Amino acid sequence: MPLDYKLKIIAYSRQFHRVLYGLLLFVTILAYVSNTTSGSNFVIYYSLSFIGFFIFDEMLFKEQKDDGSFKGWYITFSVRDFVYVTVLSAGNLLCHYDNLYVTVLTCFFVIILAEDVIFSNPFNSQESFFKAALLSMIYLIGLFISEGFKISSALAVLYMVLIVLILVSVYLIRYFYESSVRYFNAKYNDELFKNEDIIKDNEKLNDLREKVERVNNAINYQKIQLTKANDNLEMMNKENNSLLEVMKTFFSSRSIPDNAAVMLRNVINIKEAEYCVLFLDEDVYMNEDPLIRIMFRENNINAPLYNSIKREEIIKVFNIIKSGDFSEPLVLCENNDYKYDLIKVNGIVNQVAFPVYENDNLYGVMIVASKHYNFFENGYAFYETSVVDFTSALISTRLYILTEDMAKKDGLTGIYNRIYFNEFYKILLRRVFEEDGSIAVAMLDIDHFKNINDTYGHLVGDAVIKYVADIDRRFAKKYGGTAVRFGGEEFLFILTDVDHDEMCEIMKEFHHEIVTGVIEYEDKLIKIDASIGLSAYPYLRTDINEVLERADMAMYYSKEHGRGLVVTDSEDGEFKVLTEFEEIKESESDVEEFEDFEFVVSE
């Protein structure tokens, strides 16, 4: 019998005994009250006996927590059966009662035998039957003693038959119980073995399931890795395609600033950066000033983000890289951890500066910033490739600009030559005319230039031409105009979007620069003068094509009227002198030392 089933039967027996002893006490008291017994000894004896049985059974049948070994419990239970039957039989010596109460006691005796069948060893029939026969003999002797062995033959036979029936019943009950127990035990063991097989199969299935799960996890991990690899591959293809398109744009364009904007916009579009900055040092592509280009993800230059980026901080980043000789990208901010106290922009958590080299020469820096954490976790390859491609395009473009500039510029002075002037001047006049703008042209000629060449030689003459050309270049840069060497010792100074009065004041200043300067060549100090004529559209000329000719005529008017004059055209066609200077003679007096200017021309 399974352990859990035995424990349940014991628990139920405890509840049954409580009811049973309550009924026995009730019947005992009822038999006494109805005068079916003799004396109070009967009530006292059996009441105490049943109360004692109740207490003992409470302890015996209390909740069992045995691990399956009931050997000690079985021994106690067998002793309990003999004690109970002996107590019942001993009561026959003390009391006299009628046959009805004998029937009640007999029923209790049968219950004791039935419980012995249930709780004894089901596989030892002989022991169980012997115990039942012995208990029956004890109970039968008690009955005979209660009658003083004076019972009739018929009653004796009846008692004997009753005992035989009880024993037969016990045997049959025992037989069927044993058979049932054996059957159900066999079924239980069979099911237990099946269950163990099922458990083993389940364990195998669990092992298989765990293996399948491990395989699935590995497959899922590989899927994730494959998806990530595919995403990376797609991104690489996207990056490479974008770089190819950018390279096409680079080599189809001849503008370094435009190419810079294309590169920055591509970085923002492909990598979804918040903004990109490109700084190019001066004299990288014939630029006199550094170039700074800032490109934002959102084209709103009035946004707070734009105003947070300071020009001087960008230059500081470039200088840090230059002074530290960085060959690797300079991390300015990594996941909101600022490494340098520079370019701190609200919301930006990652910011890296990429050096831009031409061979070993650092000429610029590209700064990329993002609002996303771990923005650069896939490395810097795309950004470094972008600046390398830009450098390649810059070298090509710079060579083209240099070649083109050599064709446009005068070899001696570095300002525009007559050939380029003939090309751009027509375009300039058309634009001014179509836009209802204005233009002023001043032509100047160095006075007595032939005497300078004849007296000091052509090298001094070249120095004089360079001196005037440098003034022309500086004024062109200062006022946004154009400086041209028209031929020999003749020069042009052209301004657009300027009225006649402003041009007159500028040319007075221009002339003053010429006549107050000193040209030093070896041990010689030379002062020069120039004749200047100017005209303007639409203030003086209604025909824009007449401006250059009238400026030339005004210059010759100065030549014919004493030289060293600034002469302007007028609406009525007359020429007017703006300044008059006495001719400056060569002098050995104290003068300022000549400054050797750098001849870099700005359009």
Side-chain angles (χ1 to χ4, degrees):
M1 182 185 298
L3 175 61
D4 56 346
Y5 184 70
K6 279 185 179 180
L7 295 177
K8 287 182 180 180
I9 295 297
I10 290 173
Y12 292 149
S13 297
R14 187 179 185 189
Q15 300 296 329
F16 170 72
H17 289 163
R18 291 174 181 176
V19 177
L20 174 63
Y21 292 127
L23 290 174
L24 290 174
L25 285 173
F26 175 74
V27 171
T28 301
I29 294 172
L30 183 62
Y32 173 72
V33 173
S34 60
N35 294 321
T36 58
T37 60
S38 60
S40 59
N41 293 336
F42 166 80
V43 176
I44 295 172
Y45 181 81
Y46 282 103
S47 295
L48 292 176
S49 296
F50 293 141
I51 292 173
F53 295 167
F54 170 75
I55 294 173
F56 185 81
D57 284 355
E58 280 292 310
M59 293 187 294
L60 182 64
F61 287 92
K62 67 181 179 180
E63 184 177 359
Q64 296 293 319
K65 296 182 179 179
D66 198 279
D67 58 356
S69 176
F70 280 87
K71 184 176 181 181
W73 190 86
Y74 287 148
I75 295 173
T76 303
F77 186 82
S78 298
V79 172
R80 171 246 192 198
D81 292 343
F82 282 101
V83 171
Y84 284 11
V85 173
T86 302
V87 170
L88 291 179
S89 299
N92 295 326
L93 301 176
L94 302 175
C95 308
H96 177 72
Y97 35 78
D98 59 9
N99 293 330
L100 179 60
Y101 195 76
V102 172
T103 304
V104 172
L105 294 178
T106 302
C107 291
F108 180 62
F109 171 70
V110 172
I111 291 173
I112 290 175
L113 292 180
E115 288 181 346
D116 183 74
V117 172
I118 295 174
F119 294 110
S120 61
N121 187 354
F123 303 111
N124 195 335
S125 301
Q126 293 179 353
E127 176 185 333
S128 180
F129 186 76
F130 175 76
K131 186 193 299 182
L134 185 57
L135 291 174
S136 298
M137 292 299 297
I138 294 172
Y139 183 69
L140 183 60
I141 291 171
L143 290 178
F144 287 154
I145 292 174
S146 66
E147 295 296 332
F149 296 98
K150 296 179 181 180
I151 58 176
S152 62
S153 299
L155 186 58
V157 172
L158 180 61
Y159 285 161
M160 295 297 293
V161 171
L162 178 61
I163 293 300
V164 171
L165 290 176
I166 290 174
L167 291 176
V168 171
S169 299
V170 167
Y171 177 78
L172 293 176
I173 293 172
R174 183 70 190 181
Y175 174 77
F176 288 114
Y177 174 69
E178 180 182 349
S179 299
S180 300
V181 169
R182 289 183 181 277
Y183 173 77
F184 285 112
N185 192 51
K187 294 289 289 183
Y188 174 79
N189 290 332
D190 185 54
E191 294 297 326
L192 181 62
F193 292 146
K194 288 182 179 179
N195 187 51
E196 289 178 352
D197 292 338
I198 293 174
I199 291 174
K200 291 180 181 179
D201 291 340
N202 286 338
E203 289 176 352
K204 292 180 180 179
L205 289 175
N206 287 333
D207 292 339
L208 181 61
R209 180 179 58 81
E210 290 177 358
K211 291 180 181 179
V212 171
E213 286 182 354
R214 287 196 294 269
V215 172
N216 286 336
N217 291 336
I219 293 174
N220 290 334
Y221 177 77
Q222 291 179 354
K223 285 182 178 178
I224 294 172
Q225 294 299 109
L226 183 61
T227 302
K228 188 175 181 179
N230 287 335
D231 292 341
N232 290 337
L233 183 61
E234 289 181 4
M235 178 56 69
M236 290 177 59
N237 290 333
K238 186 178 179 180
E239 292 174 359
N240 291 335
N241 291 335
S242 71
L243 291 173
L244 289 175
E245 293 299 319
V246 168
M247 287 294 291
K248 291 179 182 177
T249 304
F250 282 169
F251 289 106
S252 64
S253 171
R254 299 303 178 185
S255 171
I256 300 298
D258 289 347
N259 286 348
V262 169
M263 179 184 67
L264 297 180
R265 175 54 61 189
N266 185 62
V267 170
I268 288 176
N269 289 340
I270 297 300
K271 289 297 188 177
E272 298 183 354
E274 197 63 31
Y275 67 80
C276 292
V277 178
L278 181 66
F279 172 86
L280 299 181
D281 202 5
E282 60 185 16
D283 297 328
V284 172
Y285 61 99
M286 301 179 68
N287 56 313
E288 295 182 358
D289 298 316
L291 171 73
I292 295 180
R293 285 288 182 270
I294 305 176
M295 190 74 66
F296 294 88
R297 189 173 181 182
E298 299 294 336
N299 287 324
N300 182 9
I301 63 173
N302 296 318
L305 186 66
Y306 179 85
N307 298 325
S308 300
I309 302 175
K310 306 299 182 184
R311 176 186 177 92
E312 57 271 17
E313 292 187 344
I314 297 172
I315 297 175
K316 285 181 181 178
V317 172
F318 173 75
N319 290 331
I320 289 173
I321 296 176
K322 190 172 183 179
S323 62
D325 193 23
F326 287 89
S327 59
E328 298 295 326
L330 177 64
V331 178
L332 301 177
C333 177
E334 182 177 11
N335 291 334
N336 209 29
D337 179 17
Y338 277 86
K339 312 297 183 181
Y340 295 87
D341 192 23
L342 293 170
I343 318 182
K344 287 190 174 182
V345 180
N346 186 34
I348 296 300
V349 298
N350 275 288
Q351 193 166 207
V352 174
F354 298 90
V356 184
Y357 283 94
E358 180 184 349
N359 298 324
D360 293 329
N361 177 41
L362 177 73
Y363 73 89
V365 61
M366 181 178 72
I367 302 172
V368 182
S370 174
K371 291 183 176 180
H372 300 291
Y373 282 84
N374 302 317
F375 182 75
F376 295 100
E377 65 178 352
N378 291 328
Y380 302 135
F382 174 75
Y383 311 100
E384 292 174 331
T385 303
S386 296
V387 296
V388 169
D389 291 346
F390 177 80
T391 300
S392 299
L394 181 138
I395 294 172
S396 175
T397 303
R398 184 174 58 202
L399 180 61
Y400 173 84
I401 292 173
L402 181 61
T403 304
E404 188 180 56
D405 194 67
M406 291 174 62
K408 293 178 180 180
K409 302 289 180 67
D410 176 62
L412 178 63
T413 63
I415 62 176
Y416 290 121
N417 58 28
R418 177 74 173 271
I419 296 174
Y420 179 68
F421 168 77
N422 292 336
E423 294 177 3
F424 91 85
Y425 186 66
K426 296 176 183 179
I427 299 172
L428 180 63
L429 292 182
R430 187 184 310 117
R431 180 177 63 81
V432 170
F433 181 77
E434 291 175 352
E435 296 177 0
D436 293 328
S438 63
I439 186 171
V441 178
M443 180 175 284
L444 67 92
D445 181 84
I446 302 173
D447 292 334
H448 305 296
F449 182 73
K450 185 176 184 304
N451 292 337
I452 295 173
N453 272 338
D454 292 342
T455 303
Y456 301 108
H458 288 285
L459 293 179
V460 175
D462 289 346
V464 170
I465 289 175
K466 289 180 179 180
Y467 170 71
V468 176
D470 185 63
I471 296 175
D472 198 1
R473 178 193 62 80
R474 287 191 285 111
F475 270 73
K477 181 179 180 181
K478 181 177 179 180
Y479 294 104
T482 305
V484 180
R485 185 182 182 189
F486 198 64
E489 66 272 22
E490 291 184 338
F491 297 86
L492 290 176
F493 176 64
I494 305 170
L495 284 180
T496 58
D497 301 323
V498 63
D499 61 30
H500 174 250
D501 293 338
E502 289 175 336
M503 185 64 171
C504 290
E505 294 300 319
I506 292 172
M507 294 317 298
K508 288 180 184 180
E509 181 185 359
F510 192 113
H511 184 247
H512 184 263
E513 286 278 331
I514 293 175
V515 300
T516 57
V518 178
I519 303 168
E520 180 180 6
Y521 186 80
E522 294 181 350
D523 59 345
K524 302 175 182 66
L525 298 176
I526 304 170
K527 282 183 173 294
I528 64 169
D529 203 343
S531 297
I532 302 175
L534 65 95
S535 183
Y537 166 87
Y539 304 103
L540 304 179
R541 296 290 100 196
T542 57
D543 186 352
I544 196 171
N545 296 308
E546 295 178 353
V547 175
L548 178 62
E549 182 182 357
R550 293 295 296 178
D552 183 55
M553 292 174 66
M555 181 196 70
Y556 275 100
Y557 183 88
S558 173
K559 290 282 189 183
E560 293 170 355
H561 292 79
R563 294 183 175 87
L565 304 176
V566 179
V567 179
T568 179
D569 189 14
S570 64
E571 295 180 7
D572 57 8
E574 298 293 330
F575 296 107
K576 298 179 180 179
V577 178
L578 299 178
T579 60
E580 293 187 32
F581 294 89
E582 294 183 0
E583 185 175 358
I584 301 175
K585 304 298 182 180
E586 296 180 15
S587 174
E588 298 299 328
S589 60
D590 293 336
V591 293
E592 294 183 2
E593 185 177 351
F594 176 76
E595 182 181 357
D596 187 11
F597 291 96
E598 180 182 3
F599 302 124
V600 181
V601 180
S602 174
E603 297 183 16

